[in-house]
Amino acid sequence: MAGRMQPVLAGVVTALVGFASSFTVVLAGLRAVGATERQAASGLLVLCVASGLCAAWLGLRHRIPLSMAWSTPGAALLVATGPVPGGWPVAVGAFLVSGALIVAAGLFPALGRAVAAIPKPVAGAMLAGVLLPLCTAPVRALVEVPLLAAPVVLSWLLLHRFARRWAVPGALVVAVVAIALTVPAGDTGGGLRPVVEVTAPQWSFSALVGLALPLFLVTMAAQNVPGAALLVGYGYRPPLGSVLRTTGLATLATAPAGGHAVNLAAISAALAAGPDAHPDPDRRWIASVTAGAGLALLGLGAGAVTTLVSWAPPVLIEAVAGLALLGALATALTSALAEPAAREAAVVTLVVTAAGVSLAGIGGAFWGLIAGCLMLLVFRRRTRPAATAPLPP
C-alpha cells in the first residue's frame, strides 16, 4: 500500500508547492497588463485547470511524469511590461499569438531549434532582467510595510534554511495571516466563487513584438527547454513535440479567459520525476497525473485567493512573488555570466531589459534581446592563429 500511495502523495505535494509558490506572480502579472480582479481570477482558474488537464492527458498517454504549470517567468514578464497600449483586450490577443507560436514550435521542430539557438548568455540575461525588478520587491516591502513584510521574509529565511521546499508556501501562509489581521471588520471582499470571464481579443503591432514574442521566447527558454532537460536528466525521453502542441492548444483555449501560457513545469517537475516520487521510474507518471488533478482542483479557489490578494498592499504580494523567483533569478544570472567572452553582451541585455523602457510601444524585454545579440555580432572576437616563431638560425 505504501508503494502505491508514494507517487500519489508526491503528486499532491507537487500540486500544492507549484500552486502556492507562484500564483501570486500570475495575479501580479495579469493585473499589471490591465486585468481587473475578476479577469485575473479567471486567468488563474483556467491556467490551473488547463495545466492540470494537460498533465493528466500527457501522463496517461506517454506514461512518463510530465508535470505542467503556467509560465512563471512569463508572468514576471507581464509585470515588467506593465500596461499595454489598448488595454487588457490587446494583452489577450498577445497571449493568443504566443500560444499559436508554441503550437508552431511543436509542429515545426526548426522553430524550436531556432529558439534554442539564441545564445544562452543573452537568453539568461533577458530572463534575469525580467525577474530583477520583481525580486527587489521584498526589500521595498520591508521599507514600506515593515510590520507586514518582516515576518514574511523571516519565515522564508528560516524555512529556506531548514525545509527549503516549503520556504515560499510557508512565507505565503504568514502573509495570509498578516493580511487577515489587517482586514477591516465586516469586509468580506468580492466574489469568492470560481469565475470565468471571457474577453474578445484585439491586436496591435507593438503588443505582438513587445509582448507576444518575448512571452513565447521566455516560456520556451525558461520553462519548456529546462523542463525537458530535467526529464532527460532523470532518464526519460520527453516527447517535446507532443508537449508543445498540447500546451500551445491549451494556451489558445485559455487566452480569452486570461490564461497567458501553459507549459512544462521546470521548478516543481523534480518533485514528480525524481526518486522521491517512486523508486521505480516507470511508476512516477502517477505523481504527475495526481499533481495535474490537484492543480485543477486548486484552481477552483482562484476567486478566493484573488480576493485575499486584493486586501493586501500590492508591494506585499509582490514581495512574496519576488521571494518565489529568487532561485530562478540566480539560475538566470549563472547562465548569463557563465561564458567570459559573452559577459558584456549579457550585461547589456540585463540592463536594457531591467530598465523597463518602452520604445515605439515595444517593451524592454525585446529590446534587451536585440541589444545583446547586436553586441555579440559587433564585438565578436575572432580567434586568430598565433604567429609562428622564427626558427633559430
Side-chain angles (χ1 to χ4, degrees):
M1 179 63 71
R4 294 178 181 178
M5 288 301 297
Q6 185 175 355
V8 174
L9 293 175
V12 171
V13 172
T14 301
L16 289 172
V17 172
F19 181 86
S21 62
S22 59
F23 81 86
T24 53
V25 188
V26 173
L27 293 177
L30 296 178
R31 292 165 70 175
V33 292
T36 65
E37 185 178 318
R38 283 177 57 84
Q39 289 165 339
S42 173
L44 181 60
L45 168 60
V46 296
L47 285 170
C48 288
V49 173
S51 299
L53 292 177
C54 287
W57 161 250
L58 290 169
L60 290 169
R61 181 184 179 188
H62 298 288
R63 290 298 197 271
I64 62 176
L66 293 165
S67 299
M68 298 293 132
W70 50 65
S71 176
T72 302
L77 171 68
L78 301 184
V79 176
T81 301
V84 180
W88 175 243
V90 172
V92 169
F95 300 164
L96 283 168
V97 173
S98 179
L101 290 173
I102 294 173
V103 173
L107 292 173
F108 306 102
L111 181 56
R113 289 194 295 268
V115 174
I118 296 175
K120 289 184 178 179
V122 173
M126 182 185 72
L127 178 59
V130 167
L131 299 176
L132 184 59
L134 196 54
C135 287
T136 62
V139 179
R140 289 184 280 111
L142 285 172
V143 174
E144 297 178 22
V145 285
L147 295 181
L148 295 177
V152 173
V153 174
L154 182 60
S155 63
W156 174 85
L157 184 62
L158 292 174
L159 287 170
H160 197 271
R161 170 63 179 84
F162 297 105
R164 188 167 184 169
R165 179 184 302 176
W166 298 101
V168 174
L172 178 62
V173 170
V174 174
V176 168
V177 173
I179 294 168
L181 292 176
T182 59
V183 174
D187 186 354
T188 58
L192 301 179
R193 297 178 181 178
V195 58
V196 175
E197 186 164 317
V198 177
T199 300
Q202 297 178 12
W203 289 273
S204 71
F205 177 77
S206 62
L208 294 180
V209 177
L211 181 56
L213 181 59
L215 180 58
F216 164 69
L217 294 175
V218 165
T219 299
M220 289 291 294
Q223 291 278 171
N224 287 322
V225 173
L230 182 143
L231 289 170
V232 171
Y234 281 114
Y236 298 100
R237 296 184 63 184
L240 189 56
S242 177
V243 169
L244 293 177
R245 291 190 296 272
T246 302
T247 57
L249 289 173
T251 301
L252 286 171
T254 58
H260 68 289
V262 178
N263 44 247
L264 269 174
I267 300 172
S268 59
L271 301 175
D276 289 342
H278 199 281
D280 183 1
D282 292 334
R283 301 286 291 171
R284 295 174 192 169
W285 63 270
I286 300 173
S288 66
V289 171
T290 304
L295 187 60
L297 290 175
L298 288 169
L300 299 178
V305 299
T306 305
T307 297
L308 178 69
V309 166
S310 71
W311 285 333
V315 71
L316 182 64
I317 300 304
E318 291 180 8
V320 177
L323 292 173
L325 292 171
L326 284 175
L329 176 62
T331 301
L333 288 172
T334 301
S335 175
L337 303 177
E339 300 179 19
R343 283 179 182 167
E344 289 184 352
V347 170
V348 169
T349 304
L350 170 63
V351 170
V352 174
T353 303
V357 295
S358 178
L359 181 62
I362 300 172
F366 175 81
W367 296 119
L369 181 65
I370 295 299
C373 290
L374 286 176
M375 280 284 292
L376 286 179
L377 289 174
V378 174
F379 296 101
R380 177 183 294 169
R381 296 178 180 178
R382 297 181 179 178
T383 303
R384 297 179 179 178
T388 304
L391 294 175

